[in-house]
Amino acid sequence: MNKIHILDEVTANKIAAGEVIERPAAVVKELVENALDAGAKHINITLKEGGLELIRVVDDGCGMAAEDVPLSLQRHATSKIKSADDLSTIHTLGFRGEALPSIASVSHFRLVTRRSEDPVGTEIIVHGGKTIRLEEAGSPQGTDVKVEKLFYNTPARLKFMKSAAAETARVTDIVQRIAVAWPQVAFTLTVNDKIKLATPGTGKMEDTIAQVLGQQNLRQLIPLHWEGSLLTLRGFVAKPALSRSNRNLQYFYVN
């Protein structure tokens, strides 16, 4: 029987990546949620070849300080909690601090970020978990994350990927679901240089639904609003004419 030993950091990071990052849609979800936690009002997502060639998420959120950039690529490094007590009062979409290092360990990863109070931004480039470059860089306020050659160093994971069209469909579904929940944020999804989704960010859920489901389907929805002593329920329910044989396009959100 083999003796117990500690895995090296590279191997541990790849295992963690397999738990957190199953496919391109998971990368998009993690990066978009980070952008929302940063207070972004505009989030642009770019996709090529289902996300295996390129995923890029650009936001106009608060950005990161220069000293925080390398820390963000360390496992369990997070700005969202400080102790176990904070777990009972989570107000962010992510808090474990595993997303960025997991993504960077299985891709060619580039992050550029700047806060409004900083004169210049910071750029970090990581290939397969190894930092290639960390330096000052010109940047607008916010964060720009580019993920290329996803799973290039984990061929076993690549074997589980579907076609580019199927992976694109998964990403589109994720972005649509997030966009409906955040009507105050303008989302743009560009796939292979063509805009696939663009929401206005007006704060009105109807405006976002019109872009996600189409104006014709929006006209078949009935607004719903109910308030009780413990919870509030709001949204839209479809008229019988819009019934489907499956649960596609059924969106439910808690908190």
Side-chain angles (χ1 to χ4, degrees):
M1 181 179 293
N2 293 330
K3 284 189 173 183
I4 294 174
H5 61 277
I6 304 297
L7 290 173
D8 63 86
E9 186 175 355
V10 172
T11 304
N13 282 341
K14 287 184 179 180
I15 293 172
E19 295 171 353
V20 178
I21 308 301
E22 295 179 344
R23 56 191 345 110
V27 174
V28 172
K29 177 178 181 293
E30 296 286 356
L31 295 180
V32 170
E33 288 183 349
N34 277 350
L36 291 169
D37 285 343
K41 295 301 181 185
H42 299 83
I43 301 176
N44 298 323
I45 304 118
T46 301
L47 204 69
K48 288 188 177 180
E49 295 301 319
L52 294 174
E53 180 182 327
L54 171 70
I55 296 170
R56 187 178 184 183
V57 177
V58 182
D59 70 64
D60 59 355
C62 63
M64 285 188 284
E67 61 269 21
D68 287 340
V69 171
L71 281 176
S72 72
L73 274 297
Q74 299 294 316
R75 291 185 65 193
H76 306 303
T78 178
S79 62
K80 299 168 185 177
I81 62 173
K82 293 183 178 179
S83 69
D85 294 337
D86 295 334
L87 294 173
S88 60
T89 56
I90 290 292
H91 294 289
T92 57
L93 294 168
F95 59 87
R96 293 179 302 170
E98 285 197 79
L100 291 185
S102 293
I103 295 167
S105 69
V106 290
S107 69
H108 287 186
F109 178 94
R110 174 181 178 266
L111 180 149
V112 183
T113 186
R114 184 178 71 83
R115 301 183 302 175
S116 61
E117 62 265 39
D118 295 331
V120 296
T122 305
E123 177 189 51
I124 189 168
I125 295 177
V126 180
H127 290 178
K130 181 180 179 181
T131 300
I132 305 298
R133 181 190 306 162
L134 175 61
E135 62 185 12
E136 291 184 347
S139 170
Q141 178 186 330
T143 302
D144 179 345
V145 179
K146 182 185 291 186
V147 179
E148 297 177 290
K149 301 184 184 300
L150 185 63
F151 302 134
Y152 80 99
N153 57 351
T154 52
R157 176 64 61 182
L158 276 175
K159 292 181 180 179
F160 287 96
M161 296 301 104
K162 305 296 184 182
S163 66
E167 296 300 337
T168 296
R170 289 175 180 266
V171 171
T172 302
D173 181 65
I174 287 288
V175 175
Q176 288 177 338
R177 290 178 180 277
I178 294 176
V180 171
W182 295 81
Q184 69 274 30
V185 178
F187 291 85
T188 302
L189 173 62
T190 303
V191 178
N192 296 331
D193 300 320
K194 294 182 180 180
I195 294 178
K196 191 175 183 67
L197 175 69
T199 66
T202 60
K204 297 180 180 179
M205 191 178 291
E206 301 96 313
D207 294 343
T208 300
I209 290 174
Q211 296 300 316
V212 172
L213 302 182
Q215 285 284 357
Q216 184 175 354
N217 286 334
L218 176 63
R219 288 192 285 269
Q220 298 295 321
L221 300 180
I222 301 171
L224 171 69
H225 187 86
W226 179 84
E227 291 188 21
S229 58
L230 296 178
L231 58 87
T232 298
L233 179 65
R234 65 185 180 92
F236 294 84
V237 293
K239 297 177 182 178
L242 204 60
S243 64
R244 301 173 64 94
S245 60
N246 54 48
R247 292 191 294 176
N248 291 344
L249 304 182
Q250 293 185 9
Y251 299 162
F252 297 91
Y253 307 93
V254 179
N255 292 339

